[in-house]
Amino acid sequence: MAEQPLKAHFVAEPVELPDGRRIRVSAYPDGSIRFSVDGLPYVFTEAYLSGNPEKDKAIVKLSPGRQGSAAAHNYAEELARRSRP
């Protein structure tokens, strides 16, 4: 019998960003955290997940973009395309 996926014990209310994208955060009993972000695609631009746990925080940065390209440049192009009539 396959193990059942963990059910989130905490799901935050979605946060709407100024451009309409939404971010949701869920926490699970095993200590894992899940982030859900609208407006794909995204690329990792920063990940700092270890260090001194008493002083440091985990940081994960996602930037809008297309795979294999400069994320910021593609996002600027996408915003310009959306604003054209």
Side-chain angles (χ1 to χ4, degrees), residues 76-85:
E77 285 180 348
E78 179 67 19
L79 289 177
R81 184 184 64 77
R82 288 181 190 175
S83 67
R84 291 184 198 131

Side-chain angles (χ1 to χ4, degrees), residues 3-81:
E3 190 174 321
Q4 295 295 318
L6 288 174
K7 182 176 180 180
H9 66 241
F10 172 79
V11 179
E13 289 293 319
V15 174
E16 187 164 338
L17 301 176
D19 64 2
R21 292 176 296 147
R22 295 166 58 111
I23 302 169
R24 289 170 293 285
V25 179
S26 304
Y28 295 85
D30 67 354
S32 61
I33 301 168
R34 182 180 205 183
F35 301 93
S36 175
V37 184
D38 296 343
L40 298 176
Y42 284 93
V43 294
F44 271 107
T45 53
E46 181 180 3
Y48 182 75
L49 304 173
S50 62
N52 181 341
E54 294 178 14
K55 295 182 181 178
D56 299 326
K57 300 174 184 168
I59 299 169
V60 176
K61 183 177 178 182
L62 300 175
S63 296
R66 291 174 179 78
Q67 188 173 359
S69 62
H73 178 71
N74 285 330
Y75 186 58
E77 285 180 348
E78 179 67 19
L79 289 177
R81 184 184 64 77

